[in-house]
Amino acid sequence: MAEVLLTADDITVLGGPSSITVDLDFGPEGQRGSQIFTGSGQPNNPNNDIYDQSLEIFDLYINTLVGDSEYLYMYQYINSNGSNTWVPVVKLIPNIYSKNIEKVFVDGSTTINVKLVDIVSGSLVSSLESTNFNVQASINNLGNPVATTISLGTVAIVAGFRSLPITITAVEYDGTSWANLDGTRVVNLLITVV
């Protein structure tokens, strides 16, 4: 068999185009994506200015009418049962209050007054009563079991603010019997609006 040896110090490539032209076509305009609108009031109200807009399915809307029962709700425009409508999806600012408060228990009881403006926006303060709140509380205790009950009083003016009075009654088990909780304890408080 013959052996082929190739030795070259350089290689020359001949041919190929001297220039390349690339034409770009942007093509036809596609369908618009979701947009976020804001407006004063609930979007399903026929008097709302949102209907002056060119709406598309899956558009979003935020209700910015302070004092409205669905203030700061975000809605989505969907087709439901053959007609287009706005459906509430989420509330943008959840009304939650969470705090650890050091309180003194006397004969098994203490009261905590929580300002409503610490829980909800100022525009809603005047419309809420104690039945609008869900309150959970636990007491930090070293060693002995503690049983608690929570009762909500009527919303009242305390130190110039509408406040929610929360009375916590607690007993502590010392190993042989239950006794009213006394002394300073940390109360873990969680309040939500229902």
Side-chain angles (χ1 to χ4, degrees):
M1 175 171 221
E3 249 182 69
V4 178
L5 297 174
L6 177 64
T7 61
D9 292 336
D10 59 8
I11 297 177
T12 304
V13 177
L14 304 172
S18 60
S19 67
I20 297 175
T21 304
V22 177
D23 292 328
L24 299 177
D25 181 6
F26 293 106
E29 184 176 329
Q31 183 177 355
R32 157 176 88 70
S34 295
Q35 286 195 1
I36 300 174
F37 299 97
T38 61
S40 187
Q42 298 177 20
N44 286 318
N45 182 340
N47 297 327
N48 193 311
D49 292 339
I50 190 68
Y51 289 102
D52 296 340
Q53 305 291 328
S54 173
L55 299 175
E56 298 282 338
I57 297 297
F58 304 121
D59 280 348
L60 300 172
Y61 173 88
I62 301 171
N63 180 359
T64 59
L65 179 61
V66 175
D68 189 271
S69 62
E70 294 183 355
Y71 171 63
L72 291 182
Y73 273 74
M74 179 178 278
Y75 302 80
Q76 188 173 44
Y77 195 61
I78 63 168
N79 186 297
S80 176
N81 297 325
S83 65
N84 296 342
T85 187
W86 291 99
V87 175
V89 177
V90 66
K91 186 169 185 180
L92 297 180
I93 300 176
N95 298 320
I96 297 175
Y97 175 86
S98 178
K99 191 169 187 177
N100 295 338
I101 303 169
E102 195 170 274
K103 292 298 289 183
V104 176
F105 283 80
V106 176
D107 198 26
S109 183
T110 191
T111 299
I112 301 170
N113 288 297
V114 179
K115 295 184 286 188
L116 296 188
V117 293
D118 291 343
I119 305 170
V120 297
S121 65
S123 61
L124 297 176
V125 167
S126 62
S127 65
L128 296 175
E129 296 301 329
S130 59
T131 56
N132 297 112
F133 297 98
N134 179 353
V135 177
Q136 300 174 42
S138 62
I139 299 171
N140 286 357
N141 193 34
L142 301 173
N144 296 331
V146 173
T148 61
T149 60
I150 302 168
S151 61
L152 304 181
T154 303
V155 171
I157 305 295
V158 177
F161 293 96
R162 278 180 57 90
S163 298
L164 177 66
I166 304 165
T167 300
I168 301 172
T169 305
V171 292
E172 180 178 28
Y173 187 69
D174 66 5
T176 58
S177 64
W178 289 94
N180 288 337
L181 188 64
D182 284 313
T184 303
R185 304 296 171 101
V186 174
V187 178
N188 305 308
L189 199 57
L190 176 65
I191 304 172
T192 56
V193 179
V194 293

